[in-house]
Structure formats: C-alpha cells, structure tokens
Amino acid sequence: MTRVEHAWANPAHLWRNPEPKPSYDVVVVGGGLHGLATAYYLARNHGLTNVAVVERGWLGNGNAVRNTTVVRSNYLRDESMALYEHALRLWPGLSAELDHDVLFDPRGVLNLAHGRHDALTLKRQLAANQAAGIDAEWLEPADLASFCPILNLAPDVRFPVVGAALQRRGGIARHDAVVFAFARAADRLGVDLLQGCEVTGFDIENNRVRGVVTTRGRIGAGRVGLVGAGRSKLLAAMAGFELPIQPSPLQALVSEVLDQVLDTVVMSGAVHVYLSQAHKGELVMGAGRDPYTSYAQRGSFHILEWQLQAVLELFPILSRAHLLRTWGGIVDVAPDASPIIGLTPIDDLFINCGWGTGGFKATPGSGWVFASTLAAGVPDPLVVPFSLDRFETGALIDEHGSAAVAH
Amino acid sequence: MLLISCPWCGPREENEFRYGGEAALAPTPDLDDKELARRLFVRSAPAGPLLERWYHAHGCRRWFPLVRDTMTHELTAPPEAES
Ligand SMILES: Cc1cc2nc3c(=O)[nH]c(=O)nc-3n(C[C@H](O)[C@H](O)[C@H](O)COP(=O)(O)OP(=O)(O)OC[C@H]3O[C@@H](n4cnc5c(N)ncnc54)[C@H](O)[C@@H]3O)c2cc1C
Ligand SMILES: [Zn+2]
C-alpha cells in the first residue's frame, strides 16, 4: 500500500472505510467541515442515513484544517446575522452532542478601531448586532488595558487603538477535532465516508442529476450537494454551470509554543492582522487573501511579512517569538463576500459554497441548513437570501466589511 | 513572492504590482439581467493557464497582460495577439 492510499485508510475505530454502494439517497461532495456536518444533520435531523460523503483526498484535507478557527456571529446584515448566529448557538453543545471534545472556547473576539472612521464603522456594526439580539460591547482604551494587557495602547504609534468592539460569545475551537467529531458521529449514524473518491463528472439526464462519476466508479444519487469550498468553481463547471466565485490563497502562520499571554482573539482590519493563542500555546495569525486566482494552496511571502509587521505594531512583546509554520488554503470568495447556498440550474443538484475566509465558524449552522435544504429539496428559510440568483436580482449581501481581514 | 516580468521594466518583485484579474473581457453593449450578472460577477478560474492583467503600480504604472498557471503560479508571456 502506498503512503497516499494509507492516508485515507484510517483505522476502523475512527470510522468505517466502506466500499461505495451503487447509489444513495443523498451524495454530499466534499469531506470537509461543511460536508461532514451536512451528512451528520441529514441523519440526525432528517433520519436520512442512506447518505455518502465523497472526498477526493482524506477527510478534512482542505480548509477544514487550514483555518485559524475564529468563531463569531457579529456580521452586519440581518441575513448574515441570522445564519451565523444560528451556527454560534450550536457551538456550545457540540462536544456533548457529538461525544468528542471540539474545545470550543468562547474567549471573546475583539475588533480594534484605529481612528474615527474605524470607530464609526464598528459602532454601526455593533448597533446592528445589538438590534438583532447579538451580544456586542464597546471597549474604550482603558477597558482594553485590563481586557487584553499585552495590546500596545500607546498613543504615539502610527495607528493608535481608539477602542474596540467585543463579542464575548465568540472565540476559537479546535478545527481537526471538529472534523473528527462530525466524521465519527456521521459514521455512527450509518453515513458512508468515501475517501480517495474524487468526483470527475456528473450523470445528468434531462437537466436532473442522477449520480456522480468518481475515481471509485459511478455512484447513483437521488440528490447531490456540492460542498467543495476552494474547488466549488471546478465542480460547478463539471456540472455545466458557472459560479461567481473567485478562488484565491489565504495564508496563516503559527509561532512556536509560548506561555499563555493572550486569552482572547484580536482582529484589526486597519493594521491588517488577527491573532489568537491556541490552547497548546502557539500564536495563530492571519490576515487578508493573496490577490490572485489560484488553486495552489500557497501564497506569496511578502503577505506574511506584512502580517508580522502588523503583529509587532500591536504586540511589541512578541518581537522575539519565532515563527514555526506557515501555510495556505484556497478560499472561495463571492463578489459580496457572502456564501452561496441553495438551488443550482440542475434539478436535484444543490450547492453550498462561497464561505471564503469565514466558514469555520459556520460549520454546524451550514451543515444544519444545507441538510434541511437537501432533505426537503427546497432551500431552508435561513438560506433563501443566499441563493445563486441574487447576482441577477441584485439582492447582494455585502459583508466585505465584516469578512476581509476578520474571519 | 512572484517574480514578474514587466514588459517595460524587466523582472521585478510581486509587491511592486497590483493584480488586475482576468484579461481580454469583451465589451458589453445591451445586456439583459442574466448576461449583466455574468459580466459583472463571473470571471474564469481554470485549473491551469489564465490570461490576466497586472499593473506595475510602483514602477512604470502601466498595465500589461501575462499568463499565469493557477496550479503552479508559473508565469509566461501572453500569446502575441493579446499583448
Ligand atoms: C488560512 C485560512 C484561515 C481561515 N480562518 C478562518 C477563521 O478563523 N474562521 C472562520 O470562520 N473561517 C476561516 N477560514 C475559512 C474556513 O476554513 C472555510 O470557510 C471552511 O473550512 C470551508 O468549509 P469546509 O471545511 O467544508 O472546506 P474544505 O475543508 O476545503 O472542504 C472541501 C472539500 O471538498 C473536497 N473536494 C473538492 N473537490 C472535490 C471533488 N472533485 N471530489 C471530491 N471531493 C472534492 C476537498 O478535498 C475538501 O476536502 C480560513 C481559511 C483559511 C484557508
Ligand atoms: Zn514596469
């Protein structure tokens, strides 16, 4: 057995590695977080267990384990707040429900303001959140000094911190544990997790999908859900339709393991970086995307250099920390920085993509609403505004302000 | 970091440039809603060579086309007709 084959022939005590059946009621394409959560909720909420997740590599090889695990729901638009808040409410119960600790830690997420316009923008967002019943607080620099003592609050830096918005219920979780938790729970309920099974085409008859063509043979399907994140555009092209999605690299980095110095998540759109500290002790950092279209899962070095400059501006205490690792994932960003969920031009073929730089936090909610969409064959009420045809009607859900640097 | 060959200034580091996205988009008279949505929001993203535009912002400040492979980031000069 080659090493590559071995990677997806995981020990059976994690989950079964079944042979594909000739057909399933629902085939979910993409064994990342959202695909696995979709399969789990299909079984748990809708009693649909004749379900397969087909994954080209091993479970979680994509953005599932490349993200920086920030969880929050403080977006600007009502539609987004409803969707992300639905997800946030599921997080605290996940470990118990899935019987696997996902280390969800609501340690608060800070959004720093570095000037009058920043402050106005964040306060507008904060007011929108409060009006929707989502927790949001404004901290003055004096409050910040005690809430996050290592933050540089000096007034004579280039972009002094003038305040911050805080969502206390936001925080971090452990990404690979979330993959394991949903995979195991879905497997226990009878879902077939088919790894090393790449979709290379679709069986479409009279504009209705009948199955998927894979590297492990044809698999029939009553309904198909595409949850391919960075490769959604390629999947759509195989099925014969276009997505207004641009795939591009998003990089992240971690430091060596340090003593605990930071017990919250800090984001700064203006200085252009965000930072948290993992339970194990590494500082986890990231910022914006590399600009170009790519599937290469790596980006350019100067982007990392800019992020580290920003880190040092905000946290001079970290000037001697060593960087341990950097990596990139391919994020699928829509023109309005909101996900695309629901119907496609092909009958019985549904899509869930465009989560871009911010889908980790949405994992349970995305799986929940996509499962209900696949089970009923019509979009869940929460996803109706996120339809693909909003780019024709003009009903865009602009979240660039909440999703560019902040994830 | 990409090493990008500006046709005017020669090879320069990527952070002197701005990315302009897909090149050679056709002009667009009289579009209906569907076509307009496509024109505004859909860009191609093949897994392979992509003809795109770059702007030498911190150099000669001129736009030029390049072909970049989206799987490898390898850069090549565009076909004659496009440059
Ligand atoms: C560096 C980085 C930092 C991030 N930070 C955050 C953050 O702090 N907070 C946050 O909320 N979000 C963050 N994100 C975004 C988040 O990771 C994604 O939105 C989310 O993971 C996408 O859902 P997924 O896990 O299902 O995607 P993926 O794990 O990428 O799943 C897609 C799967 O589809 C499979 N696939 C693709 N094509 C095929 C095919 N043809 N056949 C079979 N299978 C196929 C892939 O192999 C992959 O496993 C970050 C992303 C990156 C890259
Ligand atoms: Zn030049």
Side-chain angles (χ1 to χ4, degrees), chain A residues 29-35 54-56 61-64 66-70 197-199 227-229 231 235 250-252 274 329 331 355-361 407:
Chain A
V29 181
L33 291 162
H34 292 205
V54 298
E55 165 54 52
R56 65 194 285 269
N61 76 85
N63 293 344
R66 291 164 198 264
N67 70 79
T68 48
T69 81
V70 177
C197 187
E198 176 165 3
V199 170
V227 205
R231 290 178 162 258
L235 283 166
L250 179 66
Q251 305 188 67
Y274 63 89
V331 292
W355 291 95
T357 63
F360 175 72
K361 65 178 69 65
H407 299 337

